[in-house]
Amino acid sequence: MPTQEFNFDGIVGPTHNYAGLSRGNIASTRHQRAVSSPKSAAIQGLRKMKFVRDLGIEQCVMPPLPRPNLDFLRRIGFAGTDAELIEQAYQADPVLLAVCYSASNMWSANAATVSPGSDCRDGRLHLTPANLTSNLHRSLEAVETTGILRSLFDDRSLFQVHDPLPATMAMSDEGAANHTRLGPSWDEPGIEFFVYGTEYFNATAPRPKKFPGRQTLQASQAIARRHLLDPDRSIFAQQNPAAIDAGVFHNDVIAVGHQNVLLCHEMSFHHQAATLEMLKARYTASFADELQIVSFSSAELPIHDAVSSYLFNSQILTRPDGTMVLVCPAECESIPTAKKCTERILQSNNPIEEVCFLDLRQSMNNGGGPACLRLRVVLNDRQQTGMHQRVRLTDELYNQLLQWVDQHYRDELAPDDLRDPQLMVENHAAMEQLG
Ligand code: SUG
């Protein structure tokens, strides 16, 4: 089995809802208190996984986390039976109830930063689960995600699943959403490109004014050290603070890279020209071919359209024949500027030969596009055999999951439905059956 990239997608959980919990994420704020459809959200996610699998690309699933997280409610001072905890939290502040019910681990790009074994000095695959300290609801994921990753990748001779970084602002880490691995092959060492929002200890460094920069340089550097990366092949760049203030809360909302391709916007990086020059130079020095960069100006794609279309949150995938496909959210087809950009991607010099558009509206309404829903994990032959096998998406598993969703998920979930203890009972039943 050749070394290849596996996509691990989070299955949307039965409590997918719109609580407006993520400051700086415009879609989340805009849809606060809207009625969600957990069933359609999960089906849209599963269809994307099947679509990728049918392209001949390895696809795996990550389970939803058990919700509500009642331990969280106990830790912040509520007490009593499960139903009492829920009612007390609702009375104190419905936001707290939304926090413990959030299905946010569906966005597995934020689950961890992953470095392929070929980039790491000890040859093992290294994963650092993200601490997600920027948002309360997301910070609850870290411990549980670490447990899941350790059970998926439990052979210590092949994999190293680190603890999340210390949960402090200085080490704020959002995982692979701010990390891109570039290089023509999966077997040779690649270039690891880390993008951060703030430089925590440097008070004079530019910062976003309105919204938080969720990834710090200090966190990215710590990950590079832990993963035993070659400093000559690790690049750190700052996100453009004005873009963060325009709603670009992760780098994967404004840039996407894969193998020898990088799609970006003129507002992607703080030192845009220098960052792109550095990437090109390091790439050419390391490999025989060149990095193909396709950059878009604000005139072609106003930052507002970049954020609402999520063009840069598309997945770039390599098919078994070596050609690439761009999997975009359906919004890229309906927003004319974004549609034109997809046409230019097809015309310009790069290996992307096909563009397709998928409906992921339920997740998009919370700020999660195709690339947010997947964690890329490059696995060699031994690692493919050594990882947990039941998560690989087969037609059989796909059909089982569709049936499971149909049986257990609600068609609609309104904000005040979280108060109904019956929702908890339904969730327990669903998770029990998933096993
Ligand atoms: O962290 N939204 C997520 C979206 C994450 C997208 N991931 C990447 N770009 N990789 C977030 O902001 C909204 C939940 C709510 O409002 O109910 C939320 O958590």
Side-chain angles (χ1 to χ4, degrees):
M1 286 178 293
T3 303
Q4 47 189 309
E5 184 180 86
F6 283 52
N7 285 275
F8 283 71
D9 277 44
I11 301 172
V12 178
T15 62
H16 157 68
N17 73 96
Y18 299 125
L21 297 176
S22 288
R23 202 163 70 83
N25 170 342
I26 287 168
S28 155
T29 306
R30 184 170 299 145
H31 293 94
Q32 181 172 29
R33 296 195 62 79
V35 175
S36 66
S37 173
K39 190 175 278 182
S40 333
I43 293 172
Q44 288 169 0
L46 285 168
R47 285 200 182 129
K48 174 171 90 76
M49 298 182 217
K50 172 87 162 81
F51 182 86
V52 170
R53 181 73 200 89
D54 288 348
L55 292 172
I57 294 157
E58 291 288 348
Q59 179 69 56
C60 296
V61 298
M62 303 243 291
L65 298 177
R67 291 290 176 261
N69 185 333
L70 297 179
D71 281 347
F72 162 69
L73 295 183
R74 288 196 189 91
R75 274 167 59 202
I76 60 168
F78 298 110
T81 63
D82 294 355
E84 283 164 358
L85 288 171
I86 288 172
E87 185 54 26
Q88 284 172 28
Y90 180 82
Q91 294 295 343
D93 188 345
V95 172
L96 293 175
L97 193 56
V99 163
C100 83
Y101 258 118
S102 180
S104 56
N105 86 308
M106 68 170 85
W107 299 295
S108 57
N110 305 116
T113 304
V114 187
S115 298
S118 47
D119 297 357
C120 307
R121 212 159 53 239
D122 65 357
R124 292 186 298 166
L125 176 89
H126 283 249
L127 301 99
T128 292
N131 59 27
L132 295 165
T133 51
S134 294
N135 287 289
L136 180 56
H137 67 294
R138 301 227 59 186
S139 70
L140 303 184
E141 296 166 40
V143 171
E144 293 161 296
T145 298
T146 305
I148 291 177
L149 292 173
R150 290 204 168 125
S151 66
L152 295 182
F153 305 110
D154 71 344
D155 183 339
R156 290 293 297 269
S157 69
L158 301 171
F159 310 110
Q160 169 78 55
V161 179
H162 297 267
D163 284 333
L165 290 171
T168 63
M169 280 163 80
M171 288 285 160
S172 177
D173 172 28
E174 300 267 327
N178 298 308
H179 171 254
T180 308
R181 198 258 186 191
L182 299 165
S185 110
W186 309 124
D187 289 301
E188 283 173 75
I191 289 173
E192 301 218 2
F193 179 40
F194 293 85
V195 181
Y196 58 92
T198 46
E199 201 178 319
Y200 189 75
F201 294 122
N202 181 354
T204 60
R207 282 168 195 243
K209 295 188 175 60
K210 216 162 124 194
F211 295 139
R214 295 199 199 175
Q215 181 86 27
T216 65
L217 170 63
Q218 285 68 28
S220 299
Q221 288 172 331
I223 293 168
R225 272 191 299 273
R226 291 170 145 201
H227 289 198
L228 309 174
L229 302 181
D230 178 350
D232 289 338
R233 287 171 183 265
S234 310
I235 297 178
F236 300 88
Q238 184 172 358
Q239 233 189 300
N240 182 329
I244 297 179
D245 282 339
V248 180
F249 57 97
H250 287 140
N251 175 59
D252 71 3
V253 177
I254 196 81
V256 55
H258 172 82
Q259 295 199 295
N260 60 344
V261 182
L262 179 73
L263 308 180
C264 64
H265 187 271
E266 71 172 326
M267 285 182 71
S268 294
F269 311 111
H270 176 48
H271 297 293
Q272 179 87 7
T275 302
L276 295 184
E277 275 316 309
M278 159 104 79
L279 280 170
K280 270 199 225 162
R282 294 271 180 97
Y283 197 97
T284 314
S286 310
F287 311 112
D289 66 349
E290 278 182 14
L291 181 62
Q292 310 292 337
I293 300 179
V294 188
S295 176
F296 297 93
S297 66
S298 298
E300 277 175 294
L301 185 68
I303 187 81
H304 170 80
D305 286 359
V307 172
S308 36
S309 68
Y310 258 42
L311 172 68
F312 299 101
N313 205 264
S314 301
Q315 279 179 264
I316 310 176
L317 296 160
T318 304
R319 287 187 285 221
D321 68 2
T323 59
M324 292 187 189
V325 185
L326 189 71
V327 177
C328 306
E331 286 72 1
C332 292
E333 198 171 22
S334 57
I335 296 176
T337 48
K339 179 80 197 309
K340 276 213 176 105
C341 293
T342 63
E343 286 156 11
R344 182 148 88 72
I345 292 168
L346 286 174
Q347 284 149 15
S348 48
N349 183 25
N350 67 73
I352 300 173
E353 289 192 353
E354 195 185 332
V355 174
C356 47
F357 304 94
L358 298 190
D359 178 6
L360 291 163
R361 190 138 309 147
Q362 283 290 321
S363 167
M364 286 284 285
N365 288 350
N366 250 339
C372 298
L373 289 159
R374 63 93 175 95
L375 183 67
R376 293 177 284 192
V377 184
V378 172
L379 297 163
N380 66 24
D381 180 48
R382 286 177 56 226
Q383 291 164 337
Q384 289 174 37
T385 327
M387 74 167 196
H388 189 79
Q389 297 296 310
R390 251 190 71 204
V391 293
R392 290 172 91 143
L393 192 76
T394 55
D395 286 347
E396 195 192 348
L397 180 59
Y398 174 71
N399 289 323
Q400 282 169 356
L401 287 170
L402 276 181
Q403 257 177 22
W404 173 77
V405 166
D406 190 52
Q407 186 184 343
H408 293 282
Y409 282 48
R410 293 194 182 184
D411 287 312
E412 288 196 342
L413 197 60
D416 287 342
D417 293 343
L418 303 186
R419 192 180 176 185
D420 173 11
Q422 182 56 28
L423 183 65
M424 173 179 60
V425 175
E426 290 170 20
N427 268 268
H428 289 163
M431 292 307 289
E432 206 162 290
Q433 201 191 328
L434 194 61

